[in-house]
Amino acid sequence: SANAEVHVPAALIESAAKDEMDRFEQRINQQGLNMDMYFEYTGSTRESLMEEAMKASAIRLRAEYVLKAIAQKENITASEEEVSKLAS
């Protein structure tokens, strides 16, 4: 139906959020900082950052699920050439 709920497994959301946190920490480290410094400067905590990563991951994954479902329902496909073009 038009208003169908999209269920994304919690474990998948958590895994995506942890990956995002790891990438964020790498970016912070590349700037010569560490996470403790980041939390001190921003007044945030690892828990609050993880909560934001969980929310963002849930939204992104739901959107991916919806797009995948639409593509399947409408029989939308991409050729290897199209995928390669977009990936480069």
Side-chain angles (χ1 to χ4, degrees), residues 38-55:
Y38 174 82
F39 295 134
E40 186 177 327
Y41 293 149
T42 62
S44 61
T45 64
R46 183 168 297 278
E47 293 76 22
S48 66
L49 196 60
M50 183 62 173
E51 187 178 313
E52 290 303 313
M54 292 278 284
K55 288 179 189 175

Side-chain angles (χ1 to χ4, degrees), residues 15-73:
S15 177
K18 285 179 180 176
D19 289 346
E20 181 59 36
M21 289 282 289
D22 289 344
R23 287 190 299 275
F24 183 76
E25 187 165 1
Q26 287 174 352
R27 289 192 303 271
I28 292 293
N29 292 340
Q30 288 170 348
Q31 295 175 22
L33 301 171
N34 63 43
M35 292 303 284
D36 290 335
M37 295 164 87
Y38 174 82
F39 295 134
E40 186 177 327
Y41 293 149
T42 62
S44 61
T45 64
R46 183 168 297 278
E47 293 76 22
S48 66
L49 196 60
M50 183 62 173
E51 187 178 313
E52 290 303 313
M54 292 278 284
K55 288 179 189 175
S57 293
I59 290 167
R60 182 178 50 78
L61 289 168
R62 279 191 198 103
E64 287 178 16
Y65 273 45
V66 168
L67 290 173
K68 196 176 286 187
I70 291 169
Q72 287 174 342
K73 184 172 179 6

